[in-house]
């Protein structure tokens, strides 16, 4: 009888095991790697970044770290406005990595090393809107661009998040990255400790088509909607 009770308890425990977050999502990008950045609600500036592998038909955690979001929380990516200091929710691809420091060991993503001439143009009037440029174009004002080398801590290592990237919509926002923590909340990016950023770069494999999903635990911006 005792054996049956123990077996029953074990089966009950297995039956109540939480379903991995990617299994509950509407879309994971079609690859076998995924990064999730989840906040408690849209007003939060902190949450959790988790990176996942799909193995044997199941999603398993490869690593996790505390994450920071925009100073004004999170907002739906499709309706976000530039300059609001909000992190856009949604499911996005990861075009390439970059950094002020040298490529971390094990990094397989294309990696652009920041130079003194590296800028990210955020000028809505520029043809280079939401793009890395080497040397600031005449139509991109310096006060509407980020001089990447000026952020040696945050941009020590980073991954470009493909928000508003493929066909940029002016006014929606530019320069959204996964990068190293600064002093506090971000201007709309997702940030993590430096060791976590290095771990993500060593783990991420472009051949496995990793995406990043950003969202909240529930509500209209629930991460499971993406």
């Amino acid at each position: 009888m005792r054996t049956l009770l123990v077996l029953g308890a074990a089966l009950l425990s297995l039956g109540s095991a939480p379903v991995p977050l990617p299994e509950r999502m509407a879309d994971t990008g079609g690859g076998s790697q995924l990064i999730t950045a989840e906040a408690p609600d849209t007003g939060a500036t902190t949450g959790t970044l988790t990176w996942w592998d799909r193995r044997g038909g199941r999603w398993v955690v490869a690593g996790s770290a505390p994450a920071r979001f925009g100073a004004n929380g999170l907002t739906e990516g499709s309706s976000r406005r530039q300059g609001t200091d909000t992190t856009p929710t949604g499911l996005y691809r990861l075009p390439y990595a970059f950094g002020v420091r040298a490529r971390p060991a094990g990094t397989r993503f294309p990696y652009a090393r920041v130079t003194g001439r590296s800028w990210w143009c955020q000028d809505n009037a520029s043809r280079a809107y939401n793009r890395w440029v080497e040397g600031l174009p005449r139509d991109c004002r310096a006060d509407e661009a980020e001089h990447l080398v000026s952020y040696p801590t945050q941009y020590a290592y980073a991954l470009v998040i493909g928000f508003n990237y493929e066909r940029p919509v002016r006014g929606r926002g530019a320069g959204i990255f996964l990068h190293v923590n600064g002093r506090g909340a971000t201007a709309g990016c997702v940030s993590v400790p430096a060791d976590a950023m290095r771990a993500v770069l060593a783990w991420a494999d472009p051949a496995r088509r990793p995406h990043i999903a950003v969202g909240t635990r529930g509500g209209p911006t629930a991460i499971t909607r993406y």
Side-chain angles (χ1 to χ4, degrees):
M1 178 64 74
R2 178 178 177 79
T3 300
L4 289 175
L5 287 173
V6 171
L7 178 60
L11 290 173
L12 182 61
S13 175
L14 287 172
S16 61
V19 177
L21 177 57
E23 302 285 357
R24 295 182 276 119
M25 291 174 57
D27 188 4
T28 57
S32 59
Q33 287 187 328
L34 178 71
I35 300 172
T36 56
E38 188 179 28
D41 51 59
T42 55
T45 59
T46 60
T48 303
L49 189 91
T50 307
W51 46 108
W52 307 78
D53 285 310
R54 189 159 181 81
R55 299 174 183 164
R58 297 190 62 186
W59 286 101
V60 296
V61 173
S64 66
R68 296 176 183 173
F69 300 100
N72 288 322
L74 299 86
T75 192
E76 172 61 48
S78 62
S79 57
R80 182 185 184 269
R81 301 304 299 169
Q82 187 164 325
T84 56
D85 287 351
T86 54
T87 298
T89 61
L91 177 69
Y92 306 105
R93 71 182 191 92
L94 299 161
Y96 60 91
F98 70 90
V100 173
R101 297 187 184 180
R103 174 196 301 260
T107 300
R108 284 165 285 187
F109 257 79
Y111 190 88
R113 185 75 183 271
V114 172
T115 74
R117 300 182 70 249
S118 304
W119 296 76
W120 196 275
C121 182
Q122 300 178 3
D123 191 331
N124 283 279
S126 175
R127 289 174 294 177
Y129 179 67
N130 202 18
R131 287 293 185 271
W132 172 302
V133 290
E134 281 295 305
L136 201 62
R138 290 184 179 181
D139 68 349
C140 185
R141 294 167 291 170
D143 60 356
E144 292 291 334
E146 280 194 336
H147 195 201
L148 300 178
V149 76
S150 298
Y151 301 89
T153 298
Q154 294 93 323
Y155 296 158
Y157 315 107
L159 269 168
V160 176
I161 294 177
F163 166 73
N164 201 30
Y165 190 79
E166 299 294 339
R167 296 178 179 83
V169 176
R170 263 58 177 181
R172 184 157 293 167
I176 301 298
F177 313 126
L178 171 61
H179 64 68
V180 176
N181 284 341
R183 292 183 178 179
T186 73
C189 295
V190 180
S191 74
V192 293
D195 59 348
M197 196 66 231
R198 286 190 293 267
V200 168
L201 288 174
W203 158 87
D205 182 355
R208 297 178 63 187
R209 295 182 293 158
H211 285 65
I212 185 168
V214 183
T216 55
R217 287 179 191 162
T221 54
I223 198 168
T224 52
R225 290 183 56 240
Y226 303 110

